[in-house]
Amino acid sequence: MNADNLALAALNTTAFLLCVGFLLYVVFIMRPFLRRTDGVPGSREGHDFHFVVPCLDEELVVGGTVRHLLGTFPEATVWVVDDGSTDLTPDVLADLQLQFPQLRVVTRSLPDARRGKGAALNAAWRAIAASLPADADRHRVVVGVLDADARLERLAPDVICGYLVDPRVAAVQVQVRVTDDIDGLAAADLDSLVDPDDRLPARRDSLLVQLQDLEFTGPIAAMQSLRRRTGSVGMGGNGQFTRMAALDRIADEFGTPWHGALLEDFELGLHVLLTGGRTEYCDETFVAQTGLPRIKPLLRQRSRWAQGGMQCLRYLWAIICSPQVSLPGALEIAYYLWVPWSQLLGSVVFPAAVGVQVYFMTHTGDGVVDWWTQGAWGLVPLAALFGVLPHVVWGPVYRSRSGGTVTRRRAFVLGLANVLYAYLLQAAVWWAFLRLLRGRRDWKKTAHDGPGHRGSGRAPEPVEPARFAAPPGDPDWLSDDSLAEALAAEVRAARTRAPRVPEARAVEVPVAVVAEEPPTAAQPRVGGGASRPAVRPSRPRASATPPAPPDGPGTERIPPVLMGGQPERRRRPAPPAPTDPDRRPHP
């Protein structure tokens, strides 16, 4: 066999092995995923929950997240780590601290700040450890990590505690949902999602955002289902819950709970396993996050994940040799760490194999027709089997797992689009590989726009301002006609105090937008035509009016609507006489 034939044989064999390996992996993860049964929920009683929200320049979203967490889980403590923000994030947090005693803010300044998410989470861990009493049962203290735009389903702590009944379980990762309407999804009545008598409206998310949701609830959830059997469940950056005792154990052995990899969440899961803990995956509840509606931010995010996975390859030998990790778990972790490198290899091998086939088609035999009739047509079903079917199948699976909110036609479109989506993400792997070669380790942060906004600048577009930090109030207040006058007065006052702050523009909108959330797939209409509120507090607030912020440069320049502040209810004044132009209300 000459060198050309040997090279061609090696190329075809490599392409075939990559295809077979990928197809077998899809079959392996699909079987436990489709047979998944719900676990038994526990009770959060007796557990001390601490939610950690690391943020860097998150003025548009952090207020809504803090209000959601403290309104829905008043028994928990929320820790926000300000990692050196230069926008209005510190001012927003300062104002929120005046309203919520359960809120703790950990402020990091340069040069210690902006050293990655892991460093920020370690700062929160140290602060939580210092706040606990000496006799605290750290085995029952649960630290949850949430993104700055996260919405946690209201029953999540109880469901998570059902897994923590097993003392061997050290960490639990909940399912991640991606949507354009995080408030509507998190406020959904779970009974309505499974009741066959309720026909939910179709999801209104954009195609790219819905593909991200399909990825998390389909392939990623299926991978986690397989990992539950192999004992190698991976932690995610949003919705990870770990016992404080497990974090202490990792710190005792490795210095700190979180380390320097850009995939610090997966790295934490590896350390949990190496220290003898067990990780679990929970898809009976979820955490919702805002999807990325543009391709470039999506590729930037995935390049960070891919680079973090490449960095975690250094743990492979420790995982293989560890007596704490089972052989199936070690093999699964090895495959996961191999995935970005296989994508790099495949992105070279497959185009080369196609190029060789095109060359033979045009330069050998009697032309294309003869090449086709001699058996080359068999490449088409092979390509469909190995390159298309493993991606298309997730469309129908996604429909079956979404409570009927996706139509059959939409599921078919999502399945076809998922083929292009999967190959598009390979560009992120090359981006990560080039950064690795250049020695770049800086954190490529994902910018979070405010709910309902797709712009990349600091100031949001003037739509739905109340959703920056939706206050957990009653629907009667939300529909009060005095809201327009109150908002207008507050905006004018904010502009008078600080006309240079562009965020004040975001609140001049028709009050009808604020009065009622439109129904979504996860927030159907209820009787009387009203929709469910965006946030359901576990207990009513003591006062409808939050404390007034102190005078000074710290918080007075923040438009109260950005804080989700509830303006004082007041009686509608009598309309002025039309002959008195000086008393006419401002438009």
Side-chain angles (χ1 to χ4, degrees):
M1 181 179 292
N2 57 39
D4 292 339
N5 290 337
L6 183 61
L8 180 59
L11 180 65
N12 291 333
T13 301
T14 303
F16 180 75
L17 291 177
L18 288 174
C19 289
V20 171
F22 176 63
L23 184 60
L24 288 177
Y25 186 72
V26 172
V27 173
F28 286 153
I29 66 176
M30 187 73 74
R31 186 172 181 270
F33 179 61
L34 297 180
R35 294 188 176 186
R36 177 79 169 89
T37 58
D38 292 341
V40 178
S43 173
R44 71 186 77 175
E45 295 297 329
H47 289 83
D48 184 13
F49 273 83
H50 293 258
F51 298 132
V52 178
V53 182
C55 64
L56 172 61
D57 295 339
E58 301 287 7
E59 63 180 8
L60 299 181
V61 296
V62 69
T65 299
V66 170
R67 285 191 170 275
H68 159 74
L69 292 174
L70 294 175
T72 311
F73 313 102
E75 72 284 354
T77 304
V78 175
W79 298 79
V80 179
V81 183
D82 178 14
D83 199 28
S85 299
T86 57
D87 62 353
L88 290 182
T89 297
D91 302 316
V92 171
L93 295 176
D95 189 80
L96 287 170
Q97 281 187 291
L98 299 176
Q99 305 175 42
F100 298 102
Q102 309 101 307
L103 175 61
R104 305 285 189 270
V105 177
V106 179
T107 302
R108 291 168 52 80
S109 304
L110 294 174
D112 295 329
R114 297 179 179 243
R115 293 182 176 269
K117 188 176 179 180
L121 294 176
N122 286 328
W125 165 73
R126 286 188 286 266
I128 296 173
S131 70
L132 296 176
D135 59 345
D137 185 359
R138 300 166 86 92
H139 197 68
R140 300 179 71 86
V141 176
V142 183
V143 179
V145 178
L146 302 169
D147 283 353
D149 64 336
R151 296 294 185 272
L152 188 63
E153 195 271 319
R154 58 189 177 89
L155 296 179
D158 296 302
V159 178
I160 292 167
C161 288
Y163 288 86
L164 296 178
V165 170
D166 186 347
R168 299 172 299 173
V169 176
V172 178
Q173 173 63 45
V174 302
Q175 186 181 70
V176 177
R177 299 296 307 272
V178 183
T179 180
D180 287 327
D181 184 14
I182 52 176
D183 289 306
L185 186 60
D189 186 350
L190 293 184
D191 293 336
S192 67
L193 296 179
V194 298
D195 189 348
D197 295 333
D198 290 342
R199 295 187 59 84
L200 301 178
R203 292 281 299 277
R204 300 179 179 178
D205 295 336
S206 63
L207 179 62
L208 186 59
V209 169
Q210 207 161 20
L211 285 171
Q212 296 166 53
D213 191 44
L214 179 149
E215 180 185 14
F216 276 96
T217 59
I220 292 180
M223 292 167 61
Q224 296 281 44
S225 297
L226 175 64
R227 292 170 179 171
R228 293 191 71 224
R229 296 194 175 190
T230 60
S232 58
V233 169
M235 294 294 101
N238 192 17
Q240 60 169 267
F241 294 83
T242 312
R243 297 185 194 267
M244 189 67 177
L247 297 177
D248 296 338
R249 189 165 57 247
I250 297 172
D252 291 339
E253 188 167 341
F254 296 98
T256 56
W258 286 273
H259 295 77
L262 294 180
L263 205 62
E264 87 296 328
D265 42 14
F266 181 76
E267 189 177 32
L268 175 71
L270 295 181
H271 282 113
V272 170
L273 297 176
L274 290 173
T275 52
R278 178 181 168 188
T279 54
E280 269 288 358
Y281 177 68
C282 168
D283 60 1
E284 293 91 354
T285 186
F286 63 88
V287 59
Q289 67 184 38
T290 306
L292 299 176
R294 297 183 302 276
I295 292 178
K296 186 175 180 179
L298 176 65
L299 293 179
R300 179 184 297 110
Q301 179 194 68
R302 301 311 170 88
S303 70
R304 186 181 75 238
W305 295 1
Q307 185 177 357
M310 294 175 179
Q311 293 172 337
C312 288
L313 186 63
R314 66 178 183 267
Y315 293 105
L316 180 58
W317 184 248
I319 289 291
I320 293 176
C321 297
S322 174
Q324 308 289 351
V325 183
S326 66
L327 178 59
L331 292 176
E332 196 284 327
I333 293 173
Y335 179 83
Y336 178 78
L337 295 177
W338 157 249
V339 164
W341 304 101
S342 68
Q343 290 177 322
L344 288 176
L345 181 61
S347 62
V348 174
V349 169
F350 294 132
V354 172
V356 169
Q357 294 298 331
V358 171
Y359 175 83
F360 276 100
M361 177 181 64
T362 56
H363 290 79
T364 61
D366 295 329
V368 176
V369 176
D370 180 67
W371 175 83
W372 181 265
T373 56
Q374 291 297 324
W377 60 269
L379 295 175
V380 175
L382 285 177
L385 176 63
F386 292 121
V388 177
L389 181 62
H391 303 292
V392 172
V393 70
W394 295 110
V397 172
Y398 178 63
R399 180 178 186 274
S400 67
R401 292 280 171 158
S402 61
T405 60
V406 177
T407 64
R408 291 185 178 87
R409 179 179 179 181
R410 182 68 170 181
F412 178 74
V413 172
L414 287 171
L416 293 179
N418 190 45
V419 180
L420 300 177
Y421 177 78
Y423 290 113
L424 172 67
L425 295 184
Q426 290 191 0
V429 181
W430 276 101
W431 191 350
F433 181 63
L434 294 177
R435 283 175 51 84
L436 203 64
L437 292 179
R438 296 169 57 190
R440 296 285 301 274
R441 298 172 56 89
D442 54 298
W443 183 268
K444 298 184 71 65
K445 178 183 177 298
T446 301
H448 294 140
D449 299 326
H453 303 279
R454 304 183 187 276
S456 58
R458 283 178 48 190
E461 296 296 328
V463 292
E464 302 185 78
R467 296 178 63 188
F468 281 102
D474 59 62
D476 293 336
W477 177 83
L478 290 175
S479 59
D480 196 328
D481 291 337
S482 65
L483 177 61
E485 299 174 3
L487 293 181
E490 290 180 359
V491 172
R492 288 194 296 271
R495 281 182 168 178
T496 302
R497 290 192 296 266
R500 61 188 177 87
V501 180
E503 284 77 7
R505 294 180 301 153
V507 297
E508 292 187 346
V509 298
V511 69
V513 176
V514 184
E516 181 178 337
E517 294 281 348
T520 64
Q523 188 182 6
R525 288 202 178 268
V526 295
S531 61
R532 292 183 173 88
V535 178
R536 295 182 178 180
S538 299
R539 61 185 181 188
R541 297 175 63 190
S543 173
T545 305
D551 295 334
T555 59
E556 67 174 0
R557 63 196 183 101
I558 309 174
V561 169
L562 273 180
M563 305 302 306
Q566 193 166 311
E568 179 183 0
R569 296 188 65 176
R570 59 193 73 176
R571 294 182 179 179
R572 178 184 294 277
T579 56
D580 187 359
D582 295 332
R583 295 184 58 195
R584 291 177 182 170
H586 294 283

